Amino acid sequence: MDSLFDLTGKTALITGGGSGLGRNIAEVFAEYGANIAVCSRKVKNCQETADQLESRFGIKARAYECHVGDEEQVKTVVQSVLSDFGSIDILVNNSGATWGEETERMPLDAWEKVMNVNVTGTFLMSKEVGVHMIRNGYGKIINIGSVAGLRAEPPEVLNAIGYSTSKAAVHHFTKDLARKWAGHGLYVNAIAPGFFETKMTQHVIEKHTETLVNKNPMKKLGDPRSLQGAALFLAGAASDYITGQVIAVDGGSSL
């Protein structure tokens, strides 16, 4: 196995790792030797993921229940992971929420829910894990943004201003945190996926598949392996001179 991508002996904590993109990332990390901790509000999904990864790849995997927007839950989970694994070398902030609605009709509590998970959750988890990583002098943090945070989609395709705004915030948070923690040996980068088929995007893709494909320079939607490749690159030694970057994995749709 190429040492540029070998994660043997590393421990990765992936929020929202029980399904969708988070589960895809957990799978490729396990494939390349990492031990895996997955957490989300739906611990049953996380447990299914952990069991599958242990059986398939022979690594250690554990599942945890956590609402990333709740500081006490974040602290508890991070301490549990450290107790179970001994370290956290890779953090993937993947937990996400969205709310589709016209801006003039969007309830305040919906806006706050999206911001709490996507922005505050990314901050809280990075802060708590960051204390440990700074102490160790090493860590890789990968935030999951979105092309929706890079460009404004027409309302007939995506009408979720809270989501797109939150992802733009995640992108800037990534750059700012990378600058602040570079001197501690920490790397902070983000992936901005285009349209991948997940539970969150299912409704949009079902209604607009033809439009999305035709507007994409590569004439296709995202596939899991493409996202896995970007995540693996940012998690391993191959990206040891890269920090503060937002990598769009979108077939060129953000160009």
Side-chain angles (χ1 to χ4, degrees), residues 30 34-38 46-47 49-54 59-64 85:
N35 295 315
I36 304 295
V38 286
C46 289
Q47 190 61 59
T49 297
D51 291 343
Q52 181 195 55
L53 295 180
E54 281 196 329
I59 52 87
K60 179 179 177 180
R62 296 289 184 271
Y64 306 86
F85 291 88

Side-chain angles (χ1 to χ4, degrees), residues 73-88:
Q73 290 190 39
V74 169
K75 288 182 177 181
T76 298
V77 164
V78 170
Q79 289 308 307
S80 295
V81 174
L82 290 174
S83 176
D84 291 341
F85 291 88
S87 68
I88 300 173

Side-chain angles (χ1 to χ4, degrees), residues 84-100:
D84 291 341
F85 291 88
S87 68
I88 300 173
D89 308 288
I90 304 159
L91 168 65
V92 180
N93 284 307
N94 169 73
S95 287
T98 189
W99 191 289

Side-chain angles (χ1 to χ4, degrees), residues 126-173:
S126 298
K127 175 186 174 184
E128 197 65 25
V129 174
V131 171
H132 166 74
M133 288 180 168
I134 288 171
R135 189 181 303 124
N136 284 355
Y138 174 84
K140 299 261 184 169
I141 297 176
I142 304 169
N143 299 321
I144 304 302
S146 172
V147 293
L150 297 174
R151 53 172 288 174
E153 295 286 354
E156 62 270 17
V157 174
L158 183 66
N159 211 354
I161 196 167
Y163 177 80
S164 56
T165 302
S166 72
K167 291 303 185 178
V170 168
H171 296 164
H172 186 77
F173 175 83

